[in-house]
Every structure is written in structure tokens, then in C-alpha cells.
Amino acid sequence: MNAAVRVCLVEDDPIMGESLCERFRLEGFDAHWCTSGAEAMRSLREQAFDVVISDMRLGDTTGEAIFDWAAGALPQAPPFVFITGYGTVDQAVALIKRGACDYVTKPFDLDALVARVLEIASAARAQDEGVPGLEPLGVSAAMQRIEAMLPRLARAASTVLIVGESGVGKERVAQRLHACLPDAARRPFVALNCGAVPETLLEPELFGHEKGAFTGAARSRAGVFEQAHGGTLFLDEIGEMTLAMQVRLLRAVQERQVVRVGGERPIPVDLLLVCATHRDLKAMVAEGTFREDLFYRVNVVQIRVPPLRERREDIPWLIRRFLSDIARQSGEARRHLTPAAEEAALAYPWPGNVRELKHAVERACIMSPAEWITPAALFPDAELPPPAGDVQAPLGDYLRECECRYIRGALESCDGHIGRTAELLGISRKNLWEKMKKLDIGHA
């Protein structure tokens, strides 16, 4: 790593903070020490850091509150590592499930912490070197497992098959895989939806054509195989191809060369081929609608992207990012979901997966003028289902969690300003302070 790793250390204990900061600087890190949650949030808003190391318990807030704030307020939150005592280990483990990178328990091995932070920063930079601004795939364990295997596939694989229902984000996985290639920013990424191109036009789209090859071919044109030479070719919905077209694709996959329509000269292509489908190709082979030899050629390495209903942890994370994107593109204030709307989103099965979720959030922002998006705005045409799963907590605990999330959302929308937050909630400052203390909510 050429540039020094930038670490934001959040620790209110002066002895511990000074010791950690000094050690990281001696190791060559660019360490910035924040003695409070408020200072950390200001620093994270103003500067870019590779890793955040935060104590779980701070004088004015908690590490969890900073983590939640960063996830919603920053375009891309840096990786978090938490320092925790015995009493907050369960809380730290829960944060890992929500997307935090790691935690260390007191007393901890400082050498191991330094090595772990360097490992996390190196992995984050390696992912970001490919396509600038490309976000993580998700915070669920399933999506993190996929993301963890992609660098290895980029180094070793030449053909990858991505399977999953429509709308799960197969192309985003392909883009992230491409981003793991060396010098990915200078390599082409070319995508083609085979199911959206008429059969008569699919062959020239794939392999190109020479001038005069057919009516309307006024000039020679390279197909997507040639366009992707040196980079990645993403062929979506290959299960929609006819058997005749599958034969032509098989030759290109086997020989890594193409012949343009109307041409005779074979053109070598060197690329990473990523195919995708929502169909069961093995069942299609049994039915005789997909060639067995092509199936084994493209199914060298298979990645299954689970549907959204199997990774519900990603739903709030995706919604926050969609809302941030909409605010950035429109120039308007960022919208927020009420706790009830978030519960409804978690309970809904999302048959259209991430695509349906994104459209629902966009529609709610367009149709609802309010800052807070309600369940009715998110699901205007549907009868809202009850929360999924059996009731596993007393009503008081559930209501406490809803109130906690609602107040945190209000604090975030008011940049942590107590007076404005109290006014937004329609309660007094004293009442707000009492609720925050009761619910263990810090502020910026």
C-alpha cells in the first residue's frame, strides 16, 4: 500500500487513546484521535478514513450510534472495528452481523489489532481500486461471502456463472468481480442482455459483422466479444438463447475466438466471461432446451445470489443507500423511513427483489411530499402484511426498539441538534434528553 492507512480512533479514555494513537503512528499509520462521538462524526463527515476503531462505550454516545450514523449519513461508510469490554461483546457481535468488520475485547493484543486493521484497510483499498464509487454488495453474511470470494475468482477464473432470481443484482456481482481485476479501471466491462435482443440480431451483437454482411450493414462493426477484449463480458439471461445460438456461443467460449457475420477471419479474444441466468440450466439440459456441453463450459464456477427474502439484513441497508442516492441526485433533503415503514419493508417478501425495492423507494420519494416515508407511501397499492415470523419479544421491548429507531432517525435528520430534534418530534428538550438517556442513545 503506497499511501499511509488513515485511521480514525474514537476513544474517550485519555490513557488508552494516547497509547493507541502513538502505537499506530509508530507503525506508519496516519492516525486521527477523537475523544468523543461528536468529534468523530464531524471528522468522518469532513475527512476520508480507511478504518474506524471505536470504543463501544463513550462519554457522549456509543460506538453503535456512530456506526448507525455513518451507515446512513456518509456516501460510503469506512470499515468499523470495535473495542469492547465483556459486557458489550453480544452487542459487538450483533454489529458484525450488520456489517461491521471486527471487534477486540479488553485487554487485547495490540500487535494483533495493528495487523487486523492493516488487513482490513488493504482489502478495502483492493476492492475500491477497480471501479471508483462502487458500493459493497450488502451487509448480510451471504453477500459478504460472495464479495470475499471475488478477488480469488478474478485472479484464477476465466468463466463464471451467476445464478439467481430476476432483480437480485447479478450484474452488480459481475461488476464487483470485474473491479477485482488488476487495473480494472482501464479494462472494458461490456454487458449484454441476451433475452432482450431479437434472435435475428443476437449473432451480430455477440460476434460483430462485416460491411455488407446483411441489409443495413453499411459498415463493419465489432461485437461484444471484441469490445470486451482485455476486460469482462457479462452475458445476462443466457438461458433465453435458442439451441442454434447456443452452438455458436459454445464455439466462442471453447476457442476464445469469434468470426464476424459475413467474415472469414477468426479474431482472438482474451476476456473474463461472466454469464448469468434466472433459469435452472440443469433442468433445461434435462428437458433438452439447453445444450449440455455449453452448460459445462459456462458452469466452471457458479455464484448463487440469494433472493432478498433470504437476506433481510440487506433491506434497511439498501433502503438507506437508495435514499442517499435520490437525495444526492435531486439536491433535496434526504428522506427517512418511519420505524413502521421499515418493519413493513422487512416483512414484505419482495418477489421482485432489489429491483422492486429500489422502485418502491423511488416511487415513495416522488409521490410522498413528507420527509418521513410511511408504510402507506412505500406500499400504496398493497394490503400490508403483519411482521414476519413469530413474536419473540414482549410488546414493551418491541415498542422500545421502535422509539429508539425513530429518535435516532430524527437526530440524524437534524445533524444531532437537540433543539431542532425536539421540535421535530414535538416534545421538550428535557423530555428528549430523558428519552435518550433511557434508551442509551448518544448524540453528535
Side-chain angles (χ1 to χ4, degrees), residues 339-406:
E342 186 170 316
E343 290 295 328
L346 287 168
Y348 185 68
W350 298 109
N353 293 296
V354 179
R355 184 183 297 123
E356 182 185 7
L357 175 63
K358 183 178 182 181
H359 291 168
V361 173
E362 290 174 344
R363 180 182 61 234
C365 288
I366 292 171
M367 302 304 295
S368 174
E371 180 182 355
W372 290 86
I373 295 174
T374 64
L378 199 60
F379 301 99
D381 303 319
E383 182 177 343
L384 298 179
D390 298 330
V391 175
Q392 298 179 355
L395 178 60
D397 291 348
Y398 174 78
L399 294 176
R400 183 181 187 277
E401 177 63 23
C402 288
E403 185 178 23
C404 186
R405 268 190 278 176
Y406 197 82

Side-chain angles (χ1 to χ4, degrees), residues 300-369:
V300 179
V301 178
Q302 185 180 121
I303 300 173
R304 176 184 177 269
V305 184
L308 202 51
R309 62 183 174 275
E310 292 181 12
R311 48 184 174 104
R312 294 188 181 275
E313 311 97 298
D314 286 333
I315 293 174
W317 179 83
L318 286 165
I319 290 173
R320 287 195 296 268
R321 270 142 188 79
F322 294 153
L323 290 171
S324 294
D325 290 344
I326 291 168
R328 186 165 53 250
Q329 293 165 9
S330 66
E332 299 177 351
R334 185 178 180 276
R335 307 291 187 86
H336 306 276
L337 252 64
T338 64
E342 186 170 316
E343 290 295 328
L346 287 168
Y348 185 68
W350 298 109
N353 293 296
V354 179
R355 184 183 297 123
E356 182 185 7
L357 175 63
K358 183 178 182 181
H359 291 168
V361 173
E362 290 174 344
R363 180 182 61 234
C365 288
I366 292 171
M367 302 304 295
S368 174

Side-chain angles (χ1 to χ4, degrees), residues 31-42:
H32 180 77
W33 178 22
C34 300
T35 59
S36 69
E39 183 183 355
M41 291 182 194
R42 285 195 300 271

Side-chain angles (χ1 to χ4, degrees), residues 89-103:
V89 168
D90 290 344
Q91 188 179 12
V93 171
L95 287 171
I96 296 293
K97 294 179 180 179
R98 290 168 48 199
C101 276
D102 210 342
Y103 70 93

Side-chain angles (χ1 to χ4, degrees), residues 418-432:
I418 295 297
R420 291 203 303 269
T421 304
E423 184 178 352
L424 176 65
L425 295 174
I427 59 178
S428 67
R429 290 171 60 97
K430 180 181 177 183
N431 195 353
L432 176 57

Side-chain angles (χ1 to χ4, degrees), residues 228-303:
H229 178 70
T232 302
L233 174 59
F234 175 63
L235 297 181
D236 198 6
E237 299 302 351
I238 62 165
E240 307 303 317
M241 285 185 174
T242 63
L243 288 169
M245 188 56 61
Q246 290 174 31
V247 174
R248 297 179 177 89
L249 177 61
L250 175 63
R251 169 170 287 188
V253 175
Q254 284 182 156
E255 301 176 2
R256 281 305 200 264
Q257 62 182 23
V258 297
V259 177
R260 291 181 179 179
V261 176
E264 298 179 355
R265 178 177 61 90
I267 302 171
V269 289
D270 180 15
L271 49 76
L272 170 60
L273 178 62
V274 183
C275 299
T277 181
H278 74 281
R279 293 182 175 272
D280 184 343
L281 294 186
K282 187 172 285 189
M284 292 180 67
V285 169
E287 296 166 358
T289 54
F290 198 85
R291 292 182 61 93
E292 186 176 23
D293 47 7
L294 178 59
F295 172 71
Y296 288 116
R297 282 291 178 181
V298 299
N299 193 41
V300 179
V301 178
Q302 185 180 121
I303 300 173

